Amino acid sequence: MQRAIELAIENVRARGGGPFGCVVAKDGRIVAEGANSVTSTNDPTAHAEVVAIRKACAALNSFQLDGCEIYTSCLPCPMCLGAIYWARPARVFYASNDRDAADAGFDDSFIYRELELPFHDRRIPMRQMMREESLKAFEVWKNTADRVEY
């Protein structure tokens, strides 16, 4: 956890980035590190956890983080939480909480509220289209014998 916090502080001081750091560890050793690089890369998905997950998966040559632990300087936001669940680590440890982040100007509570709304009432409207055509992709997937399940 100490390293995740150091990454967060270094990221602000050295790179002008967001105050978030993350470490992925396996068997007691660090596999990958990540710091928030949203503004430096113009990538809204480049949160510390996502960066660290991507690097760890590449280092482990796997799309899942079996047996890994994630140490993050702050409670993961909704996007990072989704990435964590898809990566399937053994456990997650966090330092600061969502209220601490909100006090610093990083308030994700509106996303949780948006998720509870019907699609058509959300701040960014969502409309379904071409559903029938899109079902072909799932049909092809289900009929592919050598698919990689995840």
Side-chain angles (χ1 to χ4, degrees), residues 133-146:
E133 295 84 347
S134 74
L135 295 177
K136 179 71 176 171
F138 293 121
E139 181 183 324
V140 171
W141 168 259
K142 288 190 262 185
N143 293 324
T144 301
D146 61 344

Side-chain angles (χ1 to χ4, degrees), residues 3-4 7 20-26 30-37 43 45-65 68-73 76 79-80 83-84 87 89 92-93:
R3 181 61 185 148
L7 287 166
F20 303 98
C22 182
V23 170
V24 178
K26 185 169 186 172
I30 293 176
V31 174
E33 299 179 341
N36 181 289
S37 59
D43 180 355
T45 69
H47 289 200
E49 296 89 341
V50 173
V51 171
I53 287 169
R54 288 174 179 161
K55 289 180 179 179
C57 287
L60 296 170
N61 196 31
S62 175
F63 56 86
Q64 294 183 339
L65 298 177
C68 291
E69 296 176 335
I70 293 178
Y71 296 84
T72 182
S73 65
M79 176 185 69
C80 294
I84 288 166
V92 176
F93 299 94

Side-chain angles (χ1 to χ4, degrees), residues 76-96:
C77 76
M79 176 185 69
C80 294
L81 185 61
I84 288 166
Y85 271 91
W86 283 118
R88 296 180 178 98
R91 62 193 55 82
V92 176
F93 299 94
Y94 66 93
S96 302

Side-chain angles (χ1 to χ4, degrees), residues 87-128:
R88 296 180 178 98
R91 62 193 55 82
V92 176
F93 299 94
Y94 66 93
S96 302
N97 63 38
D98 53 336
R99 292 176 306 282
D100 300 324
D103 288 345
F106 299 93
D107 190 358
D108 298 324
S109 63
F110 78 95
I111 297 174
Y112 291 106
R113 289 192 302 273
E114 287 282 307
L115 291 172
E116 295 174 356
L117 296 173
F119 292 123
H120 60 276
D121 288 339
R122 292 182 179 173
R123 191 178 306 177
I124 299 175
M126 296 185 169
R127 303 285 184 258
Q128 188 175 27

